[in-house]
């Protein structure tokens, strides 16, 4: 329960979360039930079974994944609302676009308003009386008639039916046993491999992302490695002499690709404890970091993007550590 002001970013993982205060930075929450009635100045990312926004003020974008999402009439969202859920009820104001994948989407209430476009894939979409859409409605449903427009609703733009959904399964994958099974197996494998790697090669524990341009540079290096190494390996493998070198490079690339998110997870976990002036153990830092990374990369809609970002940044960290190995001062190396 957070009743006070947070002068920065707030990351919470728990069973039940209630936020009534003000978060001056970004908010990231992972829980069963989340209730937000305070204000968030930055971006909000949340994954839960139930998400409720009651008299909340969100100045940035919302990225949500849940079974049910409820935005009441007194909630004001300044940015975009992007969500994946079984049900999404919006009775408040969305300043920009509403992008949703849901079984049921409802824009209702006396002040239900979307400032720009609605882009939705759903079983049924209901734009109730008094609701206002400032832009276009672009939607996919099993049948064109699954969009209901109230007689008093207002759509400033065009209404465009895009046909039936393609390769989208309705329902919440958080309710699937296979989802948790494979997630748990990945987590356990990553934890064991990560602990062994970080123990056998302690240098991996020294990874630092760096601020500003340095962090962007590391990410750029990681992207370059991700794209260029496979291409270079294929080119080198054309010659018989270069084939062994190509196999070695490919093997190293696969190992680095697997370790990338693990090293990043350890950095995240370590950073959380260091900001609290604690001295974290390797096991605890890795465990907390992997929980955060695993939850992030499995989010609907944005999980794939976050997975790519985590891999790219992690590869950049590994390259940075590799290059810095030869710059260690002689007195320290001895």
């Amino acid at each position: 329960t957070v009743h006070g002001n947070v002068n920065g970013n707030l990351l919470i993982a728990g069973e039940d979360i209630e936020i009534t205060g003000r978060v001056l930075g970004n908010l990231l929450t992972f829980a069963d039930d989340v209730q937000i009635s305070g204000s968030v100045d930055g971006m909000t990312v949340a994954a839960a079974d139930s998400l409720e926004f009651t008299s909340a003020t969100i100045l940035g974008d919302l990225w949500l994944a849940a079974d049910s999402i409820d935005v009441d009439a007194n909630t004001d969202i300044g940015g975009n609302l992007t969500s994946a859920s079984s049900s999404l009820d919006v009775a408040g104001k969305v300043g920009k676009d509403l992008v949703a994948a849901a079984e049921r989407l409802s824009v209702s209430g006396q002040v239900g308003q979307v400032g720009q476009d609605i882009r939705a894939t759903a079983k049924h979409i209901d734009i109730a009386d008094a609701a206002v859409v400032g832009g276009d409605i672009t939607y996919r449903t099993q049948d064109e008639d699954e969009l209901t427009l109230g007689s008093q609703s207002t759509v400033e733009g065009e209404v465009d039916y895009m046909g039936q959904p393609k390769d989208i399964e309705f329902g919440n994958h958080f309710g699937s046993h296979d989802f948790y099974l494979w997630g748990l197996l990945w987590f356990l494998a990553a934890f064991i491999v990560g602990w062994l790697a970080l123990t056998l090669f302690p240098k991996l524990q020294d990874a630092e992302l760096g601020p500003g341009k340095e962090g962007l540079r590391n990410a750029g290096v990681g992207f370059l490695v991700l794209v260029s190494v496979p291409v270079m390996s294929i080119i080198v493998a054309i010659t018989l002499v270069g084939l062994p070198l190509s196999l070695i490079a490919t093997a190293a690339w696969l190992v680095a690709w697997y370790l990338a998110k693990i090293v990043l997870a350890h950095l995240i976990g370590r950073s959380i404890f260091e900001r609290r002036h604690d001295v974290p153990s390797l096991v605890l830092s890795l465990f907390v970091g992997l929980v955060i990374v695993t939850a992030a990369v499995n989010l609907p809609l944005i999980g794939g993007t976050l997975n790519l970002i985590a891999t790219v940044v992690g590869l950049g960290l590994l390259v940075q550590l590799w290059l810095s190995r030869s710059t260690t001062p002689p007195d320290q190396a001895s």
Side-chain angles (χ1 to χ4, degrees), residues 134-196:
D136 301 329
I137 297 179
T138 304
Y139 70 102
R140 289 183 180 274
T141 55
Q142 296 295 330
D143 189 276
E144 188 173 359
D145 295 335
E146 291 298 331
L147 170 65
T148 302
L149 294 175
S151 59
Q152 302 298 320
S153 63
T154 301
V155 180
E156 300 291 345
E158 302 292 332
V159 177
D160 191 5
Y161 176 62
M162 301 299 293
Q164 295 183 355
K166 298 178 180 178
D167 300 325
I168 293 179
E169 294 183 2
F170 291 106
N172 184 12
H173 71 282
F174 286 100
S176 169
H177 295 294
D178 290 342
F179 170 77
Y180 292 102
L181 176 60
W182 287 111
L184 179 61
L185 290 176
W186 184 91
F187 179 89
L188 292 175
F191 182 81
I192 295 172
V193 173
W195 178 80
L196 288 172

Side-chain angles (χ1 to χ4, degrees), residues 23-80:
V23 180
L24 297 180
N26 301 314
L27 171 63
L28 290 87
T29 66
F30 305 95
D32 278 344
D33 298 301
V34 178
Q35 297 182 357
I36 299 176
S37 57
S39 63
V40 181
D41 289 7
M43 175 181 65
T44 299
V45 178
D49 183 60
S50 172
L51 284 168
E52 296 183 20
F53 294 84
T54 306
S55 300
T57 300
I58 312 295
L59 300 183
D61 294 337
L62 276 172
W63 297 82
L64 309 176
D67 185 47
S68 64
I69 303 173
D70 187 9
V71 179
D72 83 335
N74 296 317
T75 293
D76 193 341
I77 300 168
N80 304 301

Side-chain angles (χ1 to χ4, degrees), residues 2-271:
V2 180
H3 291 312
N5 296 330
V6 179
N7 297 318
N9 300 319
L10 177 60
L11 168 64
I12 308 179
E15 184 174 354
D16 299 304
I17 296 174
E18 180 184 6
I19 298 174
T20 63
R22 181 182 180 186
V23 180
L24 297 180
N26 301 314
L27 171 63
L28 290 87
T29 66
F30 305 95
D32 278 344
D33 298 301
V34 178
Q35 297 182 357
I36 299 176
S37 57
S39 63
V40 181
D41 289 7
M43 175 181 65
T44 299
V45 178
D49 183 60
S50 172
L51 284 168
E52 296 183 20
F53 294 84
T54 306
S55 300
T57 300
I58 312 295
L59 300 183
D61 294 337
L62 276 172
W63 297 82
L64 309 176
D67 185 47
S68 64
I69 303 173
D70 187 9
V71 179
D72 83 335
N74 296 317
T75 293
D76 193 341
I77 300 168
N80 304 301
L81 169 56
T82 303
S83 68
S85 62
S86 291
S87 65
L88 171 61
D89 294 292
V90 179
K93 296 181 179 179
V94 178
K96 296 182 180 179
D97 293 339
L98 171 59
V99 182
E103 288 194 3
R104 182 181 60 82
L105 166 62
S106 172
V107 180
S108 61
Q110 296 300 315
V111 294
Q113 178 178 334
V114 178
Q116 297 181 10
D117 300 334
I118 292 180
R119 298 192 295 275
T121 297
K123 277 189 175 179
H124 182 74
I125 302 172
D126 184 19
I127 310 297
D129 287 342
V132 177
V133 180
D136 301 329
I137 297 179
T138 304
Y139 70 102
R140 289 183 180 274
T141 55
Q142 296 295 330
D143 189 276
E144 188 173 359
D145 295 335
E146 291 298 331
L147 170 65
T148 302
L149 294 175
S151 59
Q152 302 298 320
S153 63
T154 301
V155 180
E156 300 291 345
E158 302 292 332
V159 177
D160 191 5
Y161 176 62
M162 301 299 293
Q164 295 183 355
K166 298 178 180 178
D167 300 325
I168 293 179
E169 294 183 2
F170 291 106
N172 184 12
H173 71 282
F174 286 100
S176 169
H177 295 294
D178 290 342
F179 170 77
Y180 292 102
L181 176 60
W182 287 111
L184 179 61
L185 290 176
W186 184 91
F187 179 89
L188 292 175
F191 182 81
I192 295 172
V193 173
W195 178 80
L196 288 172
L198 292 166
T199 301
L200 295 174
F201 305 97
K203 185 68 175 178
L204 294 175
Q205 301 182 37
D206 299 331
E208 292 289 347
L209 184 58
K213 292 182 178 180
E214 184 180 349
L216 293 176
R217 183 189 64 187
N218 289 334
V221 171
F223 182 76
L224 182 63
V225 171
L226 181 67
V227 175
S228 63
V229 171
V231 176
M232 293 174 62
S233 297
I234 293 174
I235 295 174
V236 173
I238 294 176
T239 65
L240 185 60
V241 176
L243 184 58
L245 180 61
S246 174
L247 293 175
I248 294 174
T250 301
W253 181 84
L254 290 173
V255 171
W257 175 81
Y258 185 79
L259 288 177
K261 291 194 291 290
I262 296 175
V263 172
L264 177 63
H266 174 262
L267 172 61
I268 293 173
R270 191 190 73 202
S271 300

